Amino acid sequence: MKKICFFSGDITRNGGTEKVSILIANELKRQGKYEIFFLSLTEQKNQPFFSLEQGIKRFSLGDKWIQPGPAYLPVIHKLRRFLKEQKIDILIDIDIVLDILSLPASKGMKTKVISWEHFNCEYEQSILYRRFILKYSVKRSDYIITLTEDDRVCYCNTFGRSENIRAIYNPMEIIQSEPTAQSQQGKKYIVTVGRLIQRKGIDYLARIAVRVLKKYKDWSWILLGDGEERTFLEKVISDNQLENQLILKGNVTNVADYLVKAEIFVMTSRVEGLPMCLLEAKANHLPCISFCIRTGPKEIIEDGVNGYLIPPFDCDIMTEKIELLIQNETLRKEFSENACHNIEKFQMTQIIKNWNEVIELLCG
């Protein structure tokens, strides 16, 4: 039985990257074809936020978070020892930054390294240390997985990498029931899911939310997630007397409970790979509005059919489209009914088939 190890910064975190990694690992484990491991640089919590299938083994290389740089050097030796002791056949790096550890650690060994891109090629090149790692990785990884076909093409055009590179979508759970009327008595609400960090465009969200909520007092906007921008949002709420409308729920385990009752889903990210939150909103028949950033939203949202794609960071147009949906319940219902157009490409059956093909190719 081949041994497959997913390598993470910290698999106990609650981000979309951790969620999709666990979804894929769980499905591979259920097949009974592979022995599945998770290895983290460190684990800040005792248990993962998302549930692991029974029998998946977890390990950690240390008890402190390590920033990329010289402190990584001793970790390479720890990782190499782990790969030898556990006889890992394939190491799947959940963040391209980890390639700077796994590639030298596995040199001369049977272990194959898959570099799994969770952002996009353009973003990786925009940050100095990630650009350096990307150039190193793209020449040496045994296989590269991108989240979109657009990003795969970018790798090919930018770096000339045309072999052992493939786009595999993130999966979503398909809701089998028919969409139901989501209008609730009392306030209706918009929902956003994601970490409260700069990359998620929290400053844009705040600007738009203030405009919308001051105009529509019977609506609220719920944010599911936590992070360093929470203090900023709390000040925005206080300054604009939005305590009962812009609601910070923090990290929750029952995201679907909020999605199924919401009216609109909004994403204001500056950069994404293929956002799990949009896939979950789509599965729950929610009209979705997002900036049309480099990769992600345009793979999921059909503009004017089941949501709106907004020119990047144009808060005026996004506000206008949110208000249009608020005012037009018929349009919200139409978008809801169209939410699952072209959903087949995100089904787990096809996605896990693609992963199996990659693993079998590398295992030879």
Side-chain angles (χ1 to χ4, degrees), residues 65-97:
W65 183 255
I66 304 170
Q67 293 293 341
Y72 264 15
L73 291 174
V75 181
I76 293 173
H77 300 291
K78 289 184 181 180
L79 176 56
R80 187 173 180 86
R81 185 164 61 248
F82 170 84
L83 297 175
K84 284 182 177 179
E85 290 174 353
Q86 300 301 327
K87 300 178 180 178
I88 300 299
D89 294 289
I90 294 179
L91 185 66
I92 302 173
D93 290 346
I94 297 174
D95 185 338
I96 195 170
V97 168

Side-chain angles (χ1 to χ4, degrees), residues 304-348:
V305 175
N306 51 30
Y308 290 116
L309 293 168
I310 309 299
F313 322 127
D314 192 323
C315 294
D316 291 336
I317 295 180
M318 181 172 276
T319 301
E320 175 188 318
K321 294 301 185 182
I322 292 172
E323 291 185 354
L324 178 61
L325 284 178
I326 285 175
Q327 294 163 6
N328 194 330
E329 186 173 352
T330 301
L331 185 59
R332 295 202 305 271
K333 187 170 184 246
E334 178 186 331
F335 280 11
S336 176
E337 290 170 348
N338 294 337
C340 288
H341 280 191
N342 300 321
I343 209 73
E344 296 80 11
K345 61 187 178 182
F346 301 116
Q347 290 182 317
M348 179 63 86

Side-chain angles (χ1 to χ4, degrees), residues 130-257:
R130 296 187 78 96
R131 182 164 70 245
F132 168 78
I133 295 171
L134 176 63
K135 289 180 178 178
Y136 173 75
S137 170
V138 79
K139 295 178 181 177
R140 294 169 175 81
S141 295
D142 294 289
Y143 212 101
I144 295 174
I145 301 292
T146 66
L147 294 179
T148 65
E149 182 62 22
D150 191 36
D151 200 36
R152 185 195 68 79
V153 171
C154 184
Y155 267 85
C156 294
N157 292 342
T158 305
F159 299 103
R161 174 89 185 221
S162 58
E163 294 184 355
N164 285 7
I165 180 169
R166 180 174 190 170
I168 301 180
Y169 287 121
N170 285 341
M172 62 178 282
E173 293 182 89
I174 305 300
I175 306 300
Q176 299 297 337
S177 59
E178 292 296 319
T180 57
Q182 296 179 350
S183 297
Q184 306 290 315
Q185 289 186 347
K187 285 187 177 180
K188 298 180 176 68
Y189 67 86
I190 301 163
V191 67
T192 294
V193 180
R195 293 166 64 196
L196 305 184
I197 57 176
Q198 191 264 355
R199 194 173 68 238
K200 298 296 184 180
I202 298 303
D203 51 338
Y204 298 132
L205 185 149
R207 195 181 313 168
I208 295 162
V210 168
R211 295 180 191 176
V212 170
L213 297 177
K214 283 194 169 185
K215 189 172 180 179
Y216 298 93
K217 298 292 187 181
D218 57 337
W219 281 71
S220 57
W221 193 323
I222 294 177
L223 276 63
L224 307 178
D226 218 333
E228 61 203 35
E229 295 293 317
R230 185 184 182 102
T231 302
F232 161 72
L233 284 172
E234 288 173 342
K235 186 173 188 307
V236 169
I237 291 167
S238 176
D239 289 348
N240 293 278
Q241 295 81 50
L242 293 175
E243 287 82 0
N244 296 321
Q245 286 183 275
L246 186 53
I247 301 165
L248 310 180
K249 287 289 186 180
N251 295 326
V252 301
T253 57
N254 59 332
V255 171
D257 291 346

Side-chain angles (χ1 to χ4, degrees), residues 104-120:
S106 62
K107 189 175 181 179
M109 298 174 60
K110 68 168 187 173
T111 304
K112 303 294 185 183
V113 176
I114 295 176
S115 180
W116 189 5
E117 173 64 85
H118 280 275
F119 295 106
N120 60 61

